Amino acid sequence: MSDVRQILTSDDNDAYAFVGKRDGQCYVSFRGTSDLAGWLADLESYNLAILENMSGQGIPCSHDGSECRVGKGFMDNYNSISAFVRGNLTAIGCLPPMGVTVTGHSLGAAEAGIAMYDLFQRGYKIKPTFTFGQPRVGDQAWADAFARDLGANTSYRITYHKDPVVHLPFLHSQGNEEHHGFVHLSTEVFYIGTVAGSPVICDGSGEDPECSDRFKDFPLMLLACLWDVSKCDHLKYMTAVKTIPMDGSSCTDGGGRGRLVDIVV
């Protein structure tokens, strides 16, 4: 990678991203949360799971007359660094209508989904990409608009075994209407048991019952992650090719920071 810039926030919200180039191609990557246990509790209790209108946050989005809505927590986190992500893409020579690949894990995967749509609206070409352990980001209008404008085969959601995060926010929530309506983006690519084997390419609905939705024991999955984060399936993506857990703190390489341009916002 070259021209790598690390974008941090002074806000207490865990927003954290990198922009850079590889072989002349432009990339944006959003880090997952550094406090998985706290974030899981927030998602389950709906602290992050209030649906919010995207157009009111500066990203025009609608489908068949319905405004797109995404999780307020995801939207707030992305908005806290979005201008700096776009500004640093420009600074390293990544300008519309150039192509850009956007990825992320966990909370960062949710932010990556919003970023793809935002950058698309601003004239960038969004290249096919993968996210890892992405929660449900928004409502059906959002998922339909994303597929219509970016293409159903632009973003693939990698899911792994009993990762509890991919089941949140709940598909059919109870309580206040503002919590209803979260759905997944398609298409899911599901690994069961190990990431060393071949994955299942799911049916494109975003909720294929033969993929991660086959697991119904959410309380046990959640408890496993809260009891011992190091054994949580949410942190085991790419274990065949890496030796560190996929948590936020592991993404901070103290020995390499001098080679980065840090942008604190």
Side-chain angles (χ1 to χ4, degrees):
M1 296 288 292
S2 63
D3 298 311
V4 178
R5 297 188 174 207
Q6 183 177 213
I7 303 167
L8 306 93
T9 176
S10 57
D11 297 335
D12 186 23
N13 65 2
D14 238 1
Y16 190 116
F18 294 90
V19 301
K21 285 183 172 180
R22 183 178 181 183
D23 299 328
Q25 303 298 309
C26 303
Y27 291 85
V28 180
S29 179
F30 292 87
R31 189 193 71 174
T33 179
S34 60
D35 179 17
L36 177 61
W39 189 60
L40 280 168
D42 281 349
L43 272 176
E44 191 184 19
S45 66
Y46 304 147
N47 288 347
L48 289 178
I50 296 172
L51 282 163
E52 183 167 64
N53 190 309
M54 291 183 72
S55 297
Q57 296 296 314
I59 305 177
C61 179
S62 65
H63 186 269
D64 285 347
S66 296
E67 293 290 329
C68 304
R69 298 188 300 163
V70 297
K72 183 179 186 303
F74 307 144
M75 190 76 251
D76 288 349
N77 271 31
Y78 175 65
N79 274 343
S80 71
I81 58 173
S82 60
F84 298 90
V85 169
R86 296 189 301 266
N88 282 282
L89 281 173
T90 298
I92 64 174
C94 296
L95 302 167
M98 294 176 66
V100 61
T101 299
V102 185
T103 188
H105 169 252
S106 188
L107 170 63
E111 295 166 356
I114 297 172
M116 288 181 215
Y117 201 84
D118 183 27
L119 294 173
F120 162 79
Q121 290 283 25
R122 296 173 187 273
Y124 285 93
K125 177 182 178 182
I126 306 302
K127 294 196 168 184
T129 190
F130 298 90
T131 61
F132 302 86
Q134 186 182 71
R136 294 184 177 99
V137 180
D139 65 2
Q140 191 64 56
W142 148 252
D144 289 342
F146 191 100
R148 177 197 65 204
D149 294 337
L150 276 70
N153 297 321
T154 295
S155 178
Y156 292 88
R157 293 186 301 108
I158 306 297
T159 60
Y160 174 63
H161 203 54
K162 292 191 174 184
D163 176 358
V165 169
V166 303
H167 298 276
L168 293 171
F170 293 122
L171 182 62
H172 300 295
S173 302
Q174 301 297 318
N176 195 306
E177 179 63 27
E178 65 187 354
H179 299 302
H180 284 241
F182 278 90
V183 299
H184 267 307
L185 297 175
S186 57
T187 296
E188 181 181 2
V189 179
F190 176 59
Y191 285 88
I192 184 168
T194 176
V195 294
S198 298
V200 177
I201 308 300
C202 308
D203 66 11
S205 69
E207 302 292 345
D208 188 338
E210 298 302 315
C211 291
S212 60
D213 278 356
R214 71 173 65 185
F215 296 117
K216 308 299 183 184
D217 53 340
F218 175 80
L220 293 178
M221 290 188 282
L222 178 63
L223 182 61
C225 287
L226 296 178
W227 183 259
D228 188 349
V229 170
S230 68
K231 296 180 180 179
C232 178
D233 281 348
H234 186 59
L235 305 181
K236 294 182 179 180
Y237 289 86
M238 304 295 290
T239 50
V241 294
K242 66 177 181 58
T243 57
I244 61 172
M246 216 162 181
D247 62 347
S249 60
S250 296
C251 292
T252 302
D253 178 6
R257 288 177 67 87
R259 296 192 297 272
L260 302 174
V261 177
D262 291 347
I263 311 296
V264 182
V265 302

